[in-house]
Amino acid sequence: ELSLEQMVSSLHHVHLKTASNLGRFFNSVISSLQLQLDSADNVMKAALVDQSLLSKENIWLSKEIKRMESEVLEKLINELDSSVVIKNSELFKIESLKSKQERLQALHQSKEESIQSYVKDLTTTV
């Protein structure tokens, strides 16, 4: 049989071992939580870097799209200008031909009138 002092000492020893085991358990839980927290922090930092890169890429893409739009608009404007110049040239040629046609018609009319007048003069003198 154990004496009261031995039982207290034994109980104290069990209590110390239990406390030590609980301390190690809580330390391992705390370490695990710290690792998870560090991991979450690293994931968040990586996400911020990704977001920053995406933002920079978005800015670059926006600039590239604006540049391409400007190029396309410039090409369209140049093509339209060329088309307008060609159309104006064609219109000028048409107007010039109309003017020549009108002069030829007037000249033809004048010759017709001259011929009729000559024939009339000939018939009157005969």
Side-chain angles (χ1 to χ4, degrees):
E1 293 202 9
L2 294 172
S3 71
L4 183 61
E5 197 173 288
Q6 288 175 331
M7 286 202 301
V8 168
S9 174
S10 179
L11 188 60
H12 182 66
H13 181 68
V14 168
H15 177 70
L16 285 177
K17 243 184 180 180
T18 302
S20 173
N21 287 340
L22 279 174
R24 274 184 286 208
F25 171 74
F26 284 125
N27 279 340
S28 70
V29 168
I30 289 170
S31 293
S32 174
L33 289 174
Q34 186 62 46
L35 286 173
Q36 289 178 3
L37 185 62
D38 290 346
S39 176
D41 189 45
N42 287 338
V43 167
M44 197 163 89
K45 286 178 184 174
L48 287 174
V49 168
D50 283 350
Q51 182 182 8
S52 174
L53 290 174
L54 286 174
S55 178
K56 288 177 183 175
E57 187 173 342
N58 189 21
I59 290 169
W60 179 82
L61 284 173
S62 293
K63 287 180 181 178
E64 191 64 15
I65 287 170
K66 285 180 183 175
R67 184 190 64 77
M68 291 173 93
E69 285 175 343
S70 293
E71 284 179 7
V72 168
L73 283 174
E74 187 176 333
K75 285 179 183 178
L76 284 173
I77 289 170
N78 288 338
E79 287 177 19
L80 284 173
D81 285 347
S82 297
S83 178
V84 166
V85 166
I86 290 169
K87 295 293 181 201
N88 283 342
S89 173
E90 290 172 359
L91 285 174
F92 178 76
K93 287 177 185 176
I94 290 170
E95 290 298 321
S96 175
L97 288 173
K98 280 183 181 179
S99 175
K100 285 179 183 176
Q101 183 183 22
E102 288 170 357
R103 284 192 308 246
L104 282 173
Q105 284 176 345
L107 184 61
H108 181 69
Q109 180 75 25
S110 173
K111 284 184 179 180
E112 279 289 321
E113 289 172 359
S114 284
I115 291 172
Q116 287 176 1
S117 173
Y118 181 71
V119 168
K120 185 178 178 184
D121 286 347
L122 274 179
T123 53
T124 3
T125 51
V126 172

